Amino acid sequence: MPFGRRRPLMRAAVIGGGAYAVGKHRQRGQTAEAEQEQSQDQRISDLEQQQQAPAPAAAAPAAAAVAAPAAAAGGGAGGGDMVSQLKELASLKDAGALNDAEFETAKQKLLAG
């Protein structure tokens, strides 16, 4: 009966190998889940930064648009300077920094001054 002893050892080896494989599978799953969580957190923080960054940047062109007509009205600008300022206002409107009403108001101030 030399084979009687091998079967319990084989059974233990199969059970141990199965437990090892299940443990590795679970570890890989946990690692993948942690990586997904980190990448999701990174994407969320990137989106939050993108949402916060344009707000101050959009305020700066609007302030420049208001300052440009005021400077032109008080400075007695020449014809060539007025054209360049009108072009600048048009570019601000095209960029979305000015709406139609703001553009018309600034243009009238520039033409009146």
Side-chain angles (χ1 to χ4, degrees), residues 31-45:
T31 303
E33 186 177 307
E35 288 174 0
Q36 281 181 337
E37 207 171 288
Q38 286 177 348
S39 68
Q40 185 177 12
D41 290 343
Q42 182 64 32
R43 281 186 259 149
I44 289 172
S45 65

Side-chain angles (χ1 to χ4, degrees), residues 11-64:
R11 191 176 322 142
V14 168
I15 291 171
Y20 175 78
V22 168
K24 283 300 259 186
H25 180 72
R26 185 171 178 174
Q27 180 186 12
R28 286 183 188 138
Q30 288 174 345
T31 303
E33 186 177 307
E35 288 174 0
Q36 281 181 337
E37 207 171 288
Q38 286 177 348
S39 68
Q40 185 177 12
D41 290 343
Q42 182 64 32
R43 281 186 259 149
I44 289 172
S45 65
D46 289 345
L47 288 173
E48 287 174 348
Q49 289 175 355
Q50 288 175 358
Q51 288 177 349
Q52 291 173 358

Side-chain angles (χ1 to χ4, degrees), residues 101-113:
E102 292 172 336
F103 173 74
E104 288 300 323
T105 304
K107 184 174 81 169
Q108 291 302 322
K109 284 182 183 179
L110 184 63
L111 293 174

